[in-house]
Amino acid sequence: MSEPVLLDPQDEPIIDTFDLVFLISAGLIAVLYLFRDTIFGAKKSPALPPPIPVSKPPIKKDKNFIKKMRNTDKNVVLFYGSQTGTAEDYASRLAKEGLQRFGLKTMTIDVEDCDMTLLDEFPEDCLAFFLMATYGEGEPTDDAVEFWELLNSDNPEFSQGIPIEDKPLSSLRYVVFALGNKTYEHFNAVGRLVDAKLSEFGATKIGERGEGDDDGSLEEDFLGWKEDMWKAVCDAMNIDPNESQNHGTRISAYKITELENYDNDTVFYGELSEHALNGGT
């Protein structure tokens, strides 16, 4: 009887047949998974159509300043046409002063935000200010172009359709301050034209037209004009200026601070305006 053959452990196979089949299968599965898009082709989701843009309807600005006056109980409107903001600033200052000194119910508004054909509906017991700047060589400011074109048209049409020869603006009372620069040929052309056209169409001017020169002393021109203007406004609105000083807290336009130490050579003492040079006070 033969003796059993003993195998050396080193002679045993490291991987048997089952393990080999398992590893090959796992490798194939991994390769198929990694390259599935290339081998089988990826199924792409159908492309969705681009969303249809939904445009919001533009917000229509209400330019009916007559309605706004009635709804807010205002009796003085300060229209302005401004390129750099100076005319707008003067309108705001006059509005505050009119309220605080004389109890006027004021509002300021850009002419661009108004339907100026409604001027023929302006209430007779109210008052309109026009603070109009001239831009460049006698041109209107960007916000006043439409108003300029209305006044300059061959046959201006206002809301009630009254012919120009019948004075459609007969109910309008107005004040004008023009802002410009004398270095240009057409000095204050816009303010002067607004004044002339309103008068031609039947409106009544209150006081004298003010004119400011930005090449000189615009602020001094403004301050020198407005005191006489307020007297004319008080007469037109039946206001006693001596009894109309306590309408709310006064808001100063400037704050004065006195300096104890300063270099006199750096102090600018200003320039005399044409009005002062000609002997005005």
Side-chain angles (χ1 to χ4, degrees), residues 40-97:
F40 301 105
K43 291 184 178 180
K44 297 182 179 180
S45 301
L48 297 175
I52 300 175
V54 179
S55 58
K56 296 181 179 179
I59 299 175
K60 189 175 181 180
K61 184 178 292 186
D62 188 359
K63 294 189 174 185
N64 190 330
F65 63 88
I66 300 293
K67 182 172 68 175
K68 186 174 182 180
M69 289 175 64
R70 291 170 180 160
N71 291 342
T72 56
D73 191 28
K74 304 297 184 183
N75 62 357
V76 175
V77 182
L78 295 100
F79 299 101
Y80 61 85
S82 185
Q83 192 72 24
T84 62
T86 305
E88 180 180 2
D89 176 61
Y90 282 178
S92 297
R93 288 167 58 181
L94 290 176
K96 291 179 182 178
E97 188 173 357

Side-chain angles (χ1 to χ4, degrees), residues 160-195:
Q160 300 185 75
I162 301 174
I164 293 301
E165 57 269 20
D166 292 337
K167 309 297 183 183
L169 303 186
S170 58
S171 67
L172 175 66
R173 298 185 298 171
Y174 70 96
V175 174
V176 176
F177 184 77
L179 299 85
N181 190 309
K182 278 188 175 178
T183 59
Y184 293 97
E185 179 181 358
H186 303 287
F187 175 59
N188 276 336
V190 175
R192 292 176 179 180
L193 178 130
V194 169
D195 184 13

Side-chain angles (χ1 to χ4, degrees), residues 61-66 68 77-80 107-119 143 146-147 150:
K61 184 178 292 186
D62 188 359
K63 294 189 174 185
N64 190 330
F65 63 88
I66 300 293
K68 186 174 182 180
V77 182
L78 295 100
F79 299 101
Y80 61 85
M107 59 179 274
T108 62
I109 191 165
D110 193 328
V111 290
E112 185 178 36
D113 297 328
C114 301
D115 179 1
M116 300 305 284
T117 64
L118 295 172
L119 283 176
D143 57 350
E146 190 173 342
F147 183 38
L150 171 67

